[in-house]
Amino acid sequence: MASSLRVAVQMDPLEQVDINGDSTFALMLEAQARGHKLWVYPVTELSLAEGGAADVGGRLRARARPVEVRRQKGDHATFGEEETLSLADTDVVLMRQDPPFDMGYITATHLLEHVHGVGEGRSLVVNDPAAVRNAPEKLLVTHFPHLMPPTLIAWSPKEIEAFRDVHKDIIVKPLFGNGGAGIFRIKPGDENLKSLLEMHFARSREPLMIQRYEPAVRQGDKRIILVDGQPIGAINRVPAEGEARSNMHVGGRAVRVDLTERDREICEAIGPYLRDNGLIFTGIDVIGNWLTEINVTSPTGLQELDRFDGINSAGLIWDAIERRLGV
């Protein structure tokens, strides 16, 4: 296989990214520095053609644009003419569109399975689309219950209220959101829980995740980045004053942090699963001593980690990708 790879990036609009914070942009810069060729497309330009229609443009294809990127604010991308790109003719597909993890997201994983693999007529999808589909971020973590704080996933308001009776101070999360959207802290004595549940279940058939509130979150929600199941570093996301959520989308502040012995214990427990299932780039969330989420869809934090630790995290990810391809 040639050392120069053809890389398709399935992502939200490149024109709108924060070039000093976006992890996908960092991965693209590193790919280009290695001599790889880049195309970008939104998931809405992905299509699967069967029968005679597959003879023109390949079975799985996307209306994509070749692109060159640079770290220059206001002029960070130069696009070529849009073309029909057969994903079977690429070497790597980076699946980097943001959640929510809805049926559109799930359908995209099914389509990408048609090309995923290593070898002629295949393209290594990062992360493995079947593994992503089988690993919703707030559900995958439940396979490691000894690492979690007390947690309940339920539809039943009675079950949720009983959990609250035991743990008093709780966090209520939608299962398939992102960026901290829709997360509530319900303190002891707060009378809004029933109303919140009524509002959620009036518009959704999905259960909720309920967790014991961990006061350690005031010291930060640690995002640990793993590459092929191995931790490469972490950042700590400290909530803004008056805010229970630490996500940077809602004002959380990133600070430098080292991995603790407990962090490494958590990584050793989950690492083999991530590696064996093709989840090359993942980010886990740890509050105090507890694992709360395993992020596999579109993890973030690379550029912050690089600034704090002086590493090239995107380079480590590309090293792992190239090893799998035998480059």
Side-chain angles (χ1 to χ4, degrees), residues 305-312:
L305 179 60
D306 290 354
R307 285 193 285 271
F308 291 139
D309 288 3
I311 65 173
N312 179 5

Side-chain angles (χ1 to χ4, degrees), residues 95-161:
M95 185 169 57
R96 292 289 303 173
Q97 79 271 21
D98 286 339
F101 192 78
D102 55 13
M103 287 307 300
Y105 212 110
I106 289 170
T107 300
T109 68
H110 281 291
L111 298 185
L112 288 169
E113 275 192 275
H114 285 279
V115 297
H116 175 59
V118 176
E120 187 175 353
R122 313 299 292 175
S123 184
L124 181 67
V125 181
V126 180
N127 288 319
D128 182 317
V132 168
R133 187 173 64 251
N134 291 334
E137 295 166 345
K138 295 180 181 67
L139 290 176
L140 175 58
V141 67
T142 62
H143 292 276
F144 304 93
H146 60 296
L147 304 177
M148 298 180 67
T151 299
L152 175 73
I153 296 172
W155 284 269
S156 168
K158 289 184 179 179
E159 286 288 331
I160 295 170
E161 289 166 13

Side-chain angles (χ1 to χ4, degrees), residues 11-20 22 24-25 76:
M11 66 181 296
D12 299 315
L14 176 58
E15 295 90 334
Q16 298 174 17
V17 303
D18 173 6
I19 65 171
N20 293 315
D22 190 84
T24 307
F25 186 71
H76 62 271

Side-chain angles (χ1 to χ4, degrees), residues 293-306:
E293 290 188 25
I294 302 174
N295 298 276
V296 303
T297 50
S298 184
T300 60
L302 297 187
Q303 297 208 48
E304 293 84 0
L305 179 60
D306 290 354

Side-chain angles (χ1 to χ4, degrees), residues 195-216:
S195 179
L196 174 62
L197 297 181
E198 289 170 2
M199 184 172 63
H200 171 79
F201 291 119
R203 63 180 180 82
S204 176
R205 294 189 297 170
E206 296 169 2
L208 286 164
M209 171 178 268
I210 318 296
Q211 289 184 319
R212 181 182 69 190
Y213 174 73
E214 298 300 320

